Amino acid sequence: MNMLFFVVFLLFSALIFRLGIVQIVQGEDYQRKIERTEDVTVNTSVPRGRIYDRDGEIVVDNVPQNAITYTRSSSPNAEEMMQTAEKLARLIEKETDQVTERDMKDFWIGKNEAKAKAKVTDKEWTAYENEELTEDDLYDLQLERITESDLNELTDAELEVLAIYREFTSGYPQTPQIVKNENVTDVEYAVVSENLSSLPGVNTTTDWERAYSHDGTLKTVLGNISSSKEGLPKEMAEYYLARDYSRNDRVGKSYLEYQYEDVLRGQKTKMKNITDKSGNVLDSEIITEGQRGKDLVLTVDMDLQTAVEKIIEEELQQAKSGYHPFLDRAFVTMMDPNTGEILAMAGKKYEVVDGKAEIFDFALGNMTTSYAMGSAVKGATVLTGYMTGVNEPGEQIVDEPLNFAGTRSKSSWFNRGGAFSISDTYALMRSSNVYMFKTAMEIGGARYIRNGSLKINEQAFPTMRNYFSQFGLGVKTGIDLPGEQAGYKGYVDQPGKILDFAIGQFDTYTPLQLAQYVSTIANGGYRMQPRIVKEIREPVSETNKIGPIAEEIEPTVLNTLDLEPGWIEQVQEGFRLVAQASQGTASSYFGDAPYKMAAKTGTAEGVYDGPLKEKNKNEMTWNVTLVGYAPYDNPEVAMAVVVPWAYEDSSSSIPINHNIGRRAMDKYFELKEKKVTEKPAEAVVDQEIITKQETTNLKDE
C-alpha cells in the first residue's frame, strides 16, 4: 500500500509539474493559439451606394453576381494550395488571359523539377556548392533558360490550374480573394458549394457589379471604380490602408465615384474565420452585418440629359454631312441659375475609328477643356465697364472702325465704314465689337487717335481678368468633381491684345465657366457654385424606394458682384433684346419661343488647335457659342452651348450653336410641362396644402 501511495504521489507530482509548465511557462503561447483558432476577424466589402437622378430614377445600381473566393491561411502551404487549385479547376472554367509568362515559367519549374535542374550546368552547381552562387541565382538561370517550346508543353488544363493558383497567391492572409466573379454559372456555383469540405479555403458567396441604367449617358462624369483584381490604386494604397481599406477593395478611381468615395463605400461586414492551429480556414461566420454605402441623388435630370445628348449627336452628324473637317465636338451645360444645380451636362465627340465614324460621350469636356468663347462674354465686358467707372448704363458710345498705326482696321461686324452712337443695350443686341474695344481702352487709360499708336496701361489685363473672374470666367467654378480646369490665359506681348480679350478672343474658358457666367447675370449678380450632387440618402433594402435624407447639399454663393441698382438689369435687357428684338443676333431662333428667352451669341476666330493641329498648322477656324436663360423675367434655367472649330471661314458658317440651343431649351420646357401633367393628383393637392400652410406661417411671422 505504501508503494502504491508512493507511485500515486509521483504521478500526481508529474501531473502538477506538467500543468505548471502548460499554464505558467507555455500559457501565453497556448492562449494565442486558442484566440487564433476562435477569434480571427476580417472585413469583407459591401456593395456601393446607388446613384439617382433628381427625380429618383436609378442611374447607377449594383447587380448581384455569383462569386467564388479563396481565403489564404496565415501559414500557407504551397503544395496544399496547388492541390486545391487542381480540384477547383475540375469544377469551374477559368479564363487564363491574366496569366503572365513569368507565372508560366514558375509553374513549369514546379511541374518539371528534373528538367529545371538540368537547365543548370555542372560548373554552376559546383559554384553553388562553393557558395559562389545562391539559390536565387540558380533560379534566375533556370528562368532565363526556359524556352518557348518548354512553355508550350503546358496544357490548357494546366494553364487553368495556374490561373486559379495565381488568384490564390495574390490574396492576403485571412482575407477573401475573388477567384471568379464573372460568368459564374449556377451549375458551377452549386457544384463548388457541394464540395467545399474538400476545398479548404474556398467559399461561394455573392459579389456585386456596377450597372448603368442609361448605358453610356453621363458615364465619363459618373466615373469608374477599380475591379477586385485591381484593388487599391498603387499611388493611393497607403492612404486607403490607413482608412481601414483592404488591398483588394474596390474604390472610386475617377470623378463622381472618386469624389464621393467616403459616402459610397459603405460599412464592411465583419466576419470571424474559424481556423485550425496551422491557420487554415475551417469555417466563417458573420459577426456584424455590413451595410451598403449611402446613396447619392444628383441634380441632373436624366430625361433632359439623355434628350440633350441626342440633340448634340443629331446636330453633329448633320453638320458633318457638309465639309467641316475640324468640327468634332459640341457641349451643352444647363443649370439652375438660382441654386447652381447642374440640370444637364452633355458633351459629344466625333471620331473615326477603323474607318467608321462614331460619336462618344464627352460630358467631361464641359469642365476639362477650354476654348475662346467670342462675343458670348460681352455681358461681362459691359458690367466691368460699369464697375470700373468708365461707363454708365445707357451711355452712348460711337461705333466706328478703329484704325491704329501698323495694324488692320478693327470694327464691328455690322459697321465697316460709318460712325454712329449706340447704347450698351444696342451693343449687346447687335454684338458691337467697337463698344467693347472702347470700354477696354478706357479701362487701360488709352485715348483713341485715328492712325495713331495704342498706348494702354499694363494693369488693364489684370484688372479686366479680375472682374471677369467674379463671373466665373478664367477661374475654377468649384463644381463638386475633381479635375476641373481653369482655362488658359493668353500671352500678352502687345497692349492691343486687350481689345481681343474684351470680345472673348484671347483667354479661353470652359463651357461650365460660361454657364456659371450667364447664371450670374440671370440671377442678379450672385456667382453660384455649380454642383452635381443634391442630396445624400441613407440606404434602404427596397429596390424601388429612396431612403431618408442624410445630408442635403445647400446652395453656395461664391461671391456677389458689387453693383449699383439698375446695372445688371441693363445687361439683362440687352440679353433680352438679343433673343426678342427683331435686330437681335438670336431673334430668328428664339423670337417665337413661348418661354421668352434672353441670350447672347458668340463667334471666335482663331488658329485651329485641336487634335489634328500637327497636320493642319496655321489653319483658321471659328468657334460658335451661345449663352442664355429663360424666362428672361424669372430665370429658372441657364444654358451654355459651345461648338469649337465649327467651320473654316465666314462663308461656310453654320448655325449649329443656335440649333442646339433652341432644341435644348424647347426640350427643357417640354419635359417640365410633361412632368407637371403626369404628377399624381393627390401629390399636387398635398403640395398645395403645404404651400398654403407655409404661406400662412409666413404671414403670421
Side-chain angles (χ1 to χ4, degrees):
M1 289 295 292
N2 289 335
M3 286 296 297
L4 179 60
F5 283 128
F6 182 70
V7 170
V8 171
F9 171 76
L10 291 177
L11 291 175
F12 270 105
S13 298
L15 180 60
I16 292 170
F17 180 72
R18 180 59 182 161
L19 286 174
I21 292 176
V22 170
Q23 291 184 344
I24 299 172
V25 180
Q26 298 176 331
E28 291 185 5
D29 185 47
Y30 282 116
Q31 182 64 34
R32 282 194 297 270
K33 289 184 178 180
I34 291 171
E35 290 175 354
R36 176 179 165 190
T37 301
E38 296 183 352
D39 194 21
V40 178
T41 58
V42 295
N43 294 326
T44 59
S45 63
V46 293
R48 293 171 74 80
R50 298 189 183 110
I51 300 176
Y52 298 87
D53 84 336
R54 68 185 297 112
D55 295 322
E57 181 182 348
I58 289 182
V59 178
V60 183
D61 201 355
N62 303 302
V63 176
Q65 56 183 8
N66 293 334
I68 298 168
T69 65
Y70 179 79
T71 304
R72 192 167 51 144
S73 71
S74 53
S75 301
N77 184 299
E79 186 176 349
E80 289 181 2
M81 291 171 65
M82 182 61 72
Q83 291 174 356
T84 302
E86 290 172 348
K87 291 178 184 178
L88 186 57
R90 292 193 288 268
L91 303 178
I92 67 172
E93 292 184 4
K94 174 68 176 174
E95 295 290 336
T96 61
D97 55 330
Q98 296 294 317
V99 174
T100 66
E101 183 180 284
R102 174 57 188 266
D103 293 331
M104 294 169 67
K105 288 183 176 182
D106 290 332
F107 188 73
W108 186 89
I109 290 175
K111 284 287 184 180
N112 301 273
E113 292 184 8
K115 289 183 178 180
K117 190 174 181 179
K119 297 285 185 182
V120 180
T121 65
D122 293 339
K123 183 178 180 180
E124 289 164 343
W125 280 114
T126 302
Y128 169 69
E129 292 169 357
N130 294 333
E131 298 184 352
E132 296 173 5
L133 293 176
T134 65
E135 285 190 16
D136 289 341
D137 294 332
L138 293 183
Y139 195 78
D140 289 339
L141 291 172
Q142 290 173 325
L143 290 173
E144 291 176 8
R145 292 165 186 174
I146 295 175
T147 65
E148 187 175 343
S149 177
D150 292 329
L151 296 181
N152 288 336
E153 294 176 3
L154 298 176
T155 65
D156 291 341
E158 288 176 325
L159 288 176
E160 199 168 6
V161 171
L162 172 57
I164 294 173
Y165 180 77
R166 184 178 184 274
E167 299 293 355
F168 285 5
T169 57
S170 62
Y172 296 89
Q174 306 300 336
T175 302
Q177 170 72 17
I178 296 291
V179 176
K180 183 178 181 181
N181 63 351
E182 295 179 4
N183 305 316
V184 177
T185 67
D186 292 338
V187 173
E188 288 178 330
Y189 190 85
V191 170
V192 173
S193 298
E194 292 171 0
N195 290 273
L196 290 179
S197 59
S198 62
L199 298 167
V202 176
N203 199 3
T204 52
T205 184
T206 301
D207 196 26
W208 53 272
E209 181 182 25
R210 274 313 216 191
Y212 302 87
S213 58
H214 292 77
D215 297 324
T217 301
L218 206 63
K219 183 65 171 62
T220 55
V221 172
L222 296 172
N224 297 308
I225 63 171
S226 60
S227 67
S228 56
K229 292 180 181 178
E230 291 177 281
L232 302 179
K234 291 181 180 179
E235 64 276 10
M236 296 192 68
E238 295 302 322
Y239 168 80
Y240 284 120
L241 289 172
R243 298 168 68 86
D244 198 30
Y245 282 76
S246 300
R247 289 189 181 273
N248 60 347
D249 280 347
R250 282 173 280 184
V251 298
K253 294 197 301 183
S254 59
Y255 299 102
L256 195 69
E257 293 274 14
Y258 171 82
Q259 183 74 17
Y260 287 90
E261 170 64 26
D262 289 345
V263 174
L264 293 168
R265 66 175 289 200
Q267 180 180 337
K268 292 184 175 183
T269 299
K270 192 173 185 180
M271 300 187 67
K272 180 170 69 176
N273 286 338
I274 309 301
T275 67
D276 59 19
K277 293 180 180 180
S278 298
N280 296 312
V281 177
L282 302 176
D283 194 11
S284 298
E285 58 184 61
I286 296 175
I287 299 174
T288 306
E289 287 283 358
Q291 186 180 53
R292 70 175 174 82
K294 292 179 181 178
D295 299 331
L296 298 181
V297 177
L298 304 183
T299 62
V300 175
D301 180 341
M302 287 304 288
D303 291 336
L304 179 63
Q305 177 75 28
T306 304
V308 172
E309 288 191 5
K310 184 178 180 182
I311 290 168
I312 295 175
E313 284 188 20
E314 291 173 352
E315 293 296 334
L316 266 179
Q317 290 172 337
Q318 174 66 26
K320 290 297 287 185
S321 63
Y323 182 71
H324 298 292
F326 304 122
L327 171 61
D328 72 342
R329 63 194 67 186
F331 306 98
V332 174
T333 294
M334 303 182 79
M335 62 188 288
D336 184 333
N338 304 300
T339 64
E341 294 179 358
I342 300 294
L343 305 175
M345 190 163 75
K348 291 293 179 178
K349 192 173 182 181
Y350 180 99
E351 292 184 12
V352 177
V353 180
D354 297 328
K356 181 181 178 182
E358 296 185 38
I359 295 181
F360 299 94
D361 176 55
F362 196 31
L364 274 180
N366 282 279
M367 53 175 273
T368 61
T369 61
S370 63
Y371 312 93
M373 298 301 187
S375 299
V377 306
K378 286 178 178 176
T381 302
V382 172
L383 280 166
T384 297
Y386 298 162
M387 289 187 284
T388 54
V390 301
N391 291 338
E392 294 182 359
E395 180 181 349
Q396 300 280 317
I397 291 180
V398 176
D399 189 297
E400 59 183 327
L402 302 181
N403 297 287
F404 300 102
T407 64
R408 63 180 183 176
S409 177
K410 300 178 79 68
S411 64
S412 300
W413 66 273
F414 59 85
N415 183 20
R416 304 296 188 190
F420 57 90
S421 295
I422 62 172
S423 67
D424 42 14
T425 54
Y426 186 92
L428 290 171
M429 178 184 70
R430 295 289 283 160
S431 198
S432 167
N433 286 342
V434 173
Y435 185 99
M436 310 305 154
F437 293 156
K438 289 189 174 181
T439 297
M441 290 166 62
E442 287 285 343
I443 292 172
R447 180 183 176 188
Y448 174 59
I449 300 175
R450 184 177 178 82
N451 296 322
S453 59
L454 180 61
K455 297 179 180 180
I456 292 182
N457 189 312
E458 61 181 14
Q459 289 302 309
F461 258 111
T463 297
M464 291 197 72
R465 280 174 172 158
N466 175 59
Y467 280 102
F468 270 48
S469 70
Q470 296 179 37
F471 295 88
L473 296 172
V475 293
K476 293 183 179 181
T477 66
I479 189 171
D480 52 341
L481 289 170
E484 181 184 9
Q485 301 300 308
Y488 173 76
K489 289 180 171 57
Y491 175 66
V492 182
D493 58 350
Q494 298 174 0
K497 294 291 179 64
I498 194 70
L499 307 186
D500 296 328
F501 177 89
I503 62 171
Q505 300 203 82
F506 193 64
D507 285 4
T508 67
Y509 312 115
T510 67
L512 183 60
Q513 289 174 354
L514 208 60
Q516 188 181 53
Y517 143 76
V518 74
S519 293
T520 304
I521 291 175
N523 66 31
Y526 302 94
R527 184 164 77 100
M528 304 302 299
Q529 179 181 1
R531 54 196 173 91
I532 200 166
V533 173
K534 185 176 184 177
E535 298 165 348
I536 298 172
R537 297 266 184 160
E538 296 289 351
V540 291
S541 56
E542 295 89 342
T543 56
N544 59 343
K545 290 185 179 180
I546 303 180
I549 294 177
E551 181 182 350
E552 187 172 2
I553 313 300
E554 297 292 337
T556 301
V557 179
L558 297 177
N559 63 267
T560 304
L561 299 181
D562 185 13
L563 303 173
E564 296 290 335
W567 284 3
I568 203 158
E569 289 80 4
Q570 193 78 353
V571 173
Q572 290 171 340
E573 174 63 11
F575 276 34
R576 185 191 70 82
L577 294 174
V578 170
Q580 302 295 317
S582 59
Q583 289 186 300
T585 55
S587 63
S588 60
Y589 293 91
F590 291 99
D592 62 345
Y595 40 80
K596 301 303 179 184
M597 182 85 164
K600 184 69 193 78
T601 58
T603 56
E605 183 183 15
V607 177
Y608 172 70
D609 60 348
L612 305 177
K613 62 182 178 182
E614 291 301 320
K615 295 181 180 179
N616 298 276
K617 293 181 179 179
N618 301 320
E619 288 284 349
M620 300 299 292
T621 57
W622 293 78
N623 302 337
V624 292
T625 58
L626 172 72
V627 295
Y629 53 88
Y632 70 82
D633 56 349
N634 186 25
E636 63 182 71
V637 58
M639 175 183 67
V641 180
V642 178
V643 186
W645 320 310
Y647 50 88
E648 300 70 56
D649 57 73
S650 57
S651 63
S652 64
S653 64
I654 52 175
I656 184 172
N657 54 330
H658 298 117
N659 293 339
I660 291 175
R662 174 61 193 260
R663 292 182 63 188
M665 274 293 188
D666 285 352
K667 182 57 66 173
Y668 169 83
F669 285 100
E670 175 191 324
L671 289 172
K672 176 188 174 184
E673 182 65 27
K674 181 180 179 182
K675 289 176 181 179
V676 171
T677 303
E678 293 177 350
K679 192 174 184 180
E682 61 271 18
V684 175
V685 172
D686 289 345
Q687 183 60 47
E688 288 176 353
I689 293 171
I690 293 169
T691 303
K692 289 176 182 177
Q693 184 63 50
E694 289 174 347
T695 303
T696 302
N697 293 341
L698 287 171
K699 287 180 179 179
D700 291 342
E701 290 175 5

